mmCIF file of all heavy atoms in Angstrom:
data_model
loop_
_atom_site.group_PDB
_atom_site.id
_atom_site.type_symbol
_atom_site.label_atom_id
_atom_site.label_comp_id
_atom_site.label_asym_id
_atom_site.label_seq_id
_atom_site.Cartn_x
_atom_site.Cartn_y
_atom_site.Cartn_z
ATOM 1 N N VAL M 1336 -15.335 5.225 -18.543
ATOM 2 C CA VAL M 1336 -14.332 4.354 -17.939
ATOM 3 C C VAL M 1336 -13.224 5.221 -17.328
ATOM 4 O O VAL M 1336 -12.660 6.083 -18.014
ATOM 5 C CB VAL M 1336 -13.738 3.396 -18.985
ATOM 6 C CG1 VAL M 1336 -12.621 2.559 -18.371
ATOM 7 C CG2 VAL M 1336 -14.835 2.498 -19.556
ATOM 8 N N PRO M 1337 -12.920 5.052 -16.040
ATOM 9 C CA PRO M 1337 -11.903 5.901 -15.413
ATOM 10 C C PRO M 1337 -10.517 5.661 -16.018
ATOM 11 O O PRO M 1337 -10.164 4.524 -16.338
ATOM 12 C CB PRO M 1337 -11.942 5.468 -13.941
ATOM 13 C CG PRO M 1337 -12.528 4.110 -13.953
ATOM 14 C CD PRO M 1337 -13.501 4.077 -15.108
ATOM 15 N N GLU M 1338 -9.778 6.731 -16.191
ATOM 16 C CA GLU M 1338 -8.414 6.639 -16.700
ATOM 17 C C GLU M 1338 -7.466 6.483 -15.509
ATOM 18 O O GLU M 1338 -7.115 7.456 -14.842
ATOM 19 C CB GLU M 1338 -8.071 7.880 -17.513
ATOM 20 C CG GLU M 1338 -8.935 8.044 -18.762
ATOM 21 C CD GLU M 1338 -8.531 9.263 -19.571
ATOM 22 O OE1 GLU M 1338 -7.512 9.919 -19.219
ATOM 23 O OE2 GLU M 1338 -9.228 9.576 -20.553
ATOM 24 N N VAL M 1339 -7.077 5.263 -15.265
ATOM 25 C CA VAL M 1339 -6.211 4.957 -14.126
ATOM 26 C C VAL M 1339 -4.776 4.890 -14.615
ATOM 27 O O VAL M 1339 -4.448 4.119 -15.523
ATOM 28 C CB VAL M 1339 -6.616 3.624 -13.473
ATOM 29 C CG1 VAL M 1339 -5.705 3.311 -12.288
ATOM 30 C CG2 VAL M 1339 -8.080 3.671 -13.030
ATOM 31 N N THR M 1340 -3.924 5.681 -14.009
ATOM 32 C CA THR M 1340 -2.507 5.702 -14.382
ATOM 33 C C THR M 1340 -1.718 4.731 -13.523
ATOM 34 O O THR M 1340 -2.199 4.235 -12.493
ATOM 35 C CB THR M 1340 -1.928 7.111 -14.223
ATOM 36 O OG1 THR M 1340 -1.959 7.466 -12.821
ATOM 37 C CG2 THR M 1340 -2.745 8.132 -15.009
ATOM 38 N N LEU M 1341 -0.495 4.489 -13.934
ATOM 39 C CA LEU M 1341 0.386 3.613 -13.165
ATOM 40 C C LEU M 1341 0.655 4.204 -11.786
ATOM 41 O O LEU M 1341 0.669 3.461 -10.779
ATOM 42 C CB LEU M 1341 1.698 3.406 -13.914
ATOM 43 C CG LEU M 1341 2.731 2.498 -13.228
ATOM 44 C CD1 LEU M 1341 2.162 1.101 -13.008
ATOM 45 C CD2 LEU M 1341 4.016 2.426 -14.064
ATOM 46 N N ILE M 1342 0.822 5.513 -11.703
ATOM 47 C CA ILE M 1342 1.065 6.160 -10.415
ATOM 48 C C ILE M 1342 -0.149 5.974 -9.491
ATOM 49 O O ILE M 1342 0.002 5.657 -8.300
ATOM 50 C CB ILE M 1342 1.373 7.660 -10.608
ATOM 51 C CG1 ILE M 1342 2.706 7.831 -11.344
ATOM 52 C CG2 ILE M 1342 1.403 8.375 -9.261
ATOM 53 C CD1 ILE M 1342 3.051 9.271 -11.660
ATOM 54 N N GLU M 1343 -1.328 6.164 -10.046
ATOM 55 C CA GLU M 1343 -2.539 5.981 -9.224
ATOM 56 C C GLU M 1343 -2.642 4.535 -8.737
ATOM 57 O O GLU M 1343 -3.022 4.293 -7.587
ATOM 58 C CB GLU M 1343 -3.796 6.330 -10.022
ATOM 59 C CG GLU M 1343 -5.075 6.146 -9.227
ATOM 60 C CD GLU M 1343 -6.334 6.415 -10.024
ATOM 61 O OE1 GLU M 1343 -6.246 7.063 -11.091
ATOM 62 O OE2 GLU M 1343 -7.417 5.983 -9.573
ATOM 63 N N LEU M 1344 -2.272 3.611 -9.603
ATOM 64 C CA LEU M 1344 -2.346 2.203 -9.225
ATOM 65 C C LEU M 1344 -1.394 1.898 -8.064
ATOM 66 O O LEU M 1344 -1.756 1.147 -7.139
ATOM 67 C CB LEU M 1344 -2.002 1.339 -10.435
ATOM 68 C CG LEU M 1344 -2.486 -0.105 -10.409
ATOM 69 C CD1 LEU M 1344 -3.990 -0.177 -10.235
ATOM 70 C CD2 LEU M 1344 -2.062 -0.808 -11.693
ATOM 71 N N VAL M 1345 -0.212 2.486 -8.111
ATOM 72 C CA VAL M 1345 0.743 2.300 -7.014
ATOM 73 C C VAL M 1345 0.168 2.876 -5.718
ATOM 74 O O VAL M 1345 0.262 2.258 -4.652
ATOM 75 C CB VAL M 1345 2.081 2.978 -7.353
ATOM 76 C CG1 VAL M 1345 3.006 3.000 -6.123
ATOM 77 C CG2 VAL M 1345 2.767 2.266 -8.511
ATOM 78 N N VAL M 1346 -0.467 4.044 -5.816
ATOM 79 C CA VAL M 1346 -1.084 4.668 -4.651
ATOM 80 C C VAL M 1346 -2.224 3.791 -4.117
ATOM 81 O O VAL M 1346 -2.378 3.614 -2.899
ATOM 82 C CB VAL M 1346 -1.609 6.084 -4.998
ATOM 83 C CG1 VAL M 1346 -2.434 6.649 -3.840
ATOM 84 C CG2 VAL M 1346 -0.443 7.005 -5.315
ATOM 85 N N VAL M 1347 -3.033 3.226 -5.020
ATOM 86 C CA VAL M 1347 -4.147 2.355 -4.612
ATOM 87 C C VAL M 1347 -3.639 1.169 -3.820
ATOM 88 O O VAL M 1347 -4.164 0.835 -2.752
ATOM 89 C CB VAL M 1347 -4.927 1.883 -5.862
ATOM 90 C CG1 VAL M 1347 -5.801 0.680 -5.521
ATOM 91 C CG2 VAL M 1347 -5.786 3.011 -6.395
ATOM 92 N N PHE M 1348 -2.595 0.505 -4.305
ATOM 93 C CA PHE M 1348 -2.053 -0.651 -3.591
ATOM 94 C C PHE M 1348 -1.422 -0.241 -2.265
ATOM 95 O O PHE M 1348 -1.507 -0.983 -1.279
ATOM 96 C CB PHE M 1348 -1.047 -1.392 -4.466
ATOM 97 C CG PHE M 1348 -1.674 -2.413 -5.372
ATOM 98 C CD1 PHE M 1348 -2.093 -2.063 -6.643
ATOM 99 C CD2 PHE M 1348 -1.867 -3.711 -4.949
ATOM 100 C CE1 PHE M 1348 -2.690 -2.985 -7.481
ATOM 101 C CE2 PHE M 1348 -2.473 -4.644 -5.779
ATOM 102 C CZ PHE M 1348 -2.883 -4.289 -7.050
ATOM 103 N N ALA M 1349 -0.792 0.929 -2.234
ATOM 104 C CA ALA M 1349 -0.205 1.414 -0.986
ATOM 105 C C ALA M 1349 -1.295 1.679 0.050
ATOM 106 O O ALA M 1349 -1.157 1.309 1.227
ATOM 107 C CB ALA M 1349 0.606 2.681 -1.252
ATOM 108 N N LEU M 1350 -2.386 2.317 -0.391
ATOM 109 C CA LEU M 1350 -3.494 2.616 0.531
ATOM 110 C C LEU M 1350 -4.189 1.324 0.981
ATOM 111 O O LEU M 1350 -4.577 1.201 2.141
ATOM 112 C CB LEU M 1350 -4.494 3.551 -0.147
ATOM 113 C CG LEU M 1350 -4.027 4.990 -0.347
ATOM 114 C CD1 LEU M 1350 -5.077 5.786 -1.120
ATOM 115 C CD2 LEU M 1350 -3.759 5.669 1.002
#
Side-chain angles (χ1 to χ4, degrees):
V1336 176
E1338 297 182 6
V1339 180
T1340 65
L1341 180 60
I1342 294 176
E1343 180 183 342
L1344 201 57
V1345 171
V1346 172
V1347 163
F1348 273 90
L1350 289 176

